[in-house]
């Protein structure tokens, strides 16, 4: 009897132990991955000595923060000279504009004088026609002995005087025309000078703008908020354009790159929910929610360090999951386990 009871107790212990072992067996993750972040290498945009550089590894930098300056003394002096040249050029434009106005006024006056001379000539021509008719009539009367030689001489003098006045008026009109043509050439030359001076002002403006941009680029401006991962320069060093100064990444939101096999694709649609778990202090694990942000459209061979649920499957698909990392527990390169939320599963 005792032997039968002992045998039952032993059997029950084995069942309980099997149940405990079965319950303690943790479920396997759906995929394995590593933490990534978008790293930005900030380089120098100017040449010169790095006067100040307030960047340290691990520091948090805000977007658009000025974290360093490159010596721009020569650029500032060149900009001041260009600004002075621009002022001189603008004064020249104003001066030439005034000259153009004066020349146009002179041309307008010469044109008015020519028009008045032409009107006066027309009046003299009319008087000349009358004098010619009077002379012809007096000559006929003289031939008929109905007019004296004195009357004929007077009529001839009147005609000759008017002819000379018309000729003098023609000369005056020609002088006015010459003056107008010369004024037109002077105006054209002044306008050309004005255009040249204006072009020089525009060119100087562009030069000043370029120097201002180069001076702006002498300030090292942080492009994005994040954590400094590495520094490559120190204050006092001479740097070249494009030389790396530091590397920064936003660790407040990171990505996990993982690989899945084709049967798992049904659970890894864009926007699908998942969980990533990782080791924390004390040998325990912590889990954070994640969202699928990218799924590769092309299969590839399994990368050597990656293991999936199917041991070393021939072809896998790369995916990325976006994970909020406000506490900063996830670090770049950290290995994590990925578990997808089962869509449409029944309780």
């Amino acid at each position: 009897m005792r032997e039968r009871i002992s045998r039952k107790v032993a059997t029950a212990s084995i069942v309980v132990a099997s149940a405990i072992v079965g319950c303690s067996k943790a479920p396997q993750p759906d995929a394995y991955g590593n933490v990534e972040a978008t790293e930005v290498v900030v380089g120098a945009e100017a040449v010169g000595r790095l006067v100040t550089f307030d960047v340290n590894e691990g520091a948090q930098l805000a977007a658009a923060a000025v974290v360093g300056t490159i010596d721009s003394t020569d650029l500032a002096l060149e900009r001041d000279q260009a600004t002075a040249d621009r002022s001189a050029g603008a004064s020249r434009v104003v001066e030439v504009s005034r000259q153009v106005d004066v020349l146009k006024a002179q041309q307008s006056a010469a044109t008015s004088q020519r028009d008045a001379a032409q009107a006066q000539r027309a009046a003299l021509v009319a008087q000349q026609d009358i004098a010619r008719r009077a002379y012809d009539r007096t000559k006929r009367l003289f031939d008929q002995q109905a007019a004296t030689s004195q009357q004929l001489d007077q009529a001839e003098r009147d005609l000759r005087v008017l002819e000379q006045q018309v000729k003098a008026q023609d000369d005056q009109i020609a002088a006015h025309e010459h003056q107008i043509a010369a004024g037109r050439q002077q105006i054209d030359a002044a306008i050309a000078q004005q255009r040249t001076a204006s072009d020089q002002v525009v060119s100087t403006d562009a030069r000043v703008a370029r120097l201002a941009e180069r001076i702006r680029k002498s300030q090292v401006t942080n492009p994005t908020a994040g954590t400094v991962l590495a520094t490559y320069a120190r204050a006092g060093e001479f740097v070249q354009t494009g030389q790396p100064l530091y590397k920064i990444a936003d660790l407040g939101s990171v990505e996990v790159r993982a690989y899945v096999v084709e049967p798992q694709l049904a659970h890894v649609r864009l926007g699908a929910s998942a969980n990533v778990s990782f080791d924390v202090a004390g040998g325990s694990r912590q889990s954070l929610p994640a969202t699928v942000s990218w799924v590769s459209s092309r299969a590839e061979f399994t990368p050597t360090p990656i293991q999936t649920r199917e041991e070393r499957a021939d072809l896998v698909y790369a995916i990325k999951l976006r994970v909020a990392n406000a506490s900063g527990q996830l670090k770049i390169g950290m290995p994590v386990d990925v578990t997808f939320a089962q869509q449409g599963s029944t309780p």
Side-chain angles (χ1 to χ4, degrees), residues 2-33:
R2 289 180 180 177
E3 183 180 354
R4 191 176 302 170
I5 293 173
S6 299
R7 197 174 296 167
K8 288 182 178 180
V9 171
T11 303
S13 299
I14 293 172
V15 171
V16 171
S18 300
I20 293 174
V21 171
C23 293
S24 63
K25 185 179 180 181
Q28 292 297 311
D30 296 320
Y32 302 88

Side-chain angles (χ1 to χ4, degrees), residues 109-125:
T111 302
S112 298
Q113 291 174 355
R114 182 204 60 188
D115 294 342
Q118 289 176 341
Q120 188 174 358
R121 181 188 183 279
L124 290 172
V125 169

Side-chain angles (χ1 to χ4, degrees), residues 29-38 250 253-260 268 274-278 285-296 306 317-325 329-340:
D30 296 320
Y32 302 88
N34 294 91
V35 177
E36 295 181 348
T38 302
D250 182 8
S253 179
V254 296
E255 286 185 334
V256 170
R257 177 183 288 269
Y259 294 86
V260 297
V268 290
N275 285 301
V276 297
S277 59
F278 50 94
R285 295 185 67 80
Q286 184 172 341
S287 178
L288 291 176
T291 303
V292 177
S293 60
W294 174 77
V295 179
S296 175
I306 301 297
Y317 292 84
I319 65 169
K320 288 184 179 180
L321 302 100
R322 174 66 60 177
V323 186
N325 187 37
Q329 291 178 293
L330 293 177
K331 309 296 183 183
I332 296 175
M334 178 184 291
V336 296
D337 295 347
V338 179
T339 304
F340 299 109

Side-chain angles (χ1 to χ4, degrees), residues 305-325:
I306 301 297
Q307 297 291 331
T308 64
R309 187 165 52 184
E310 314 290 335
E311 284 289 333
R312 300 287 299 157
D314 289 337
L315 293 176
V316 292
Y317 292 84
I319 65 169
K320 288 184 179 180
L321 302 100
R322 174 66 60 177
V323 186
N325 187 37

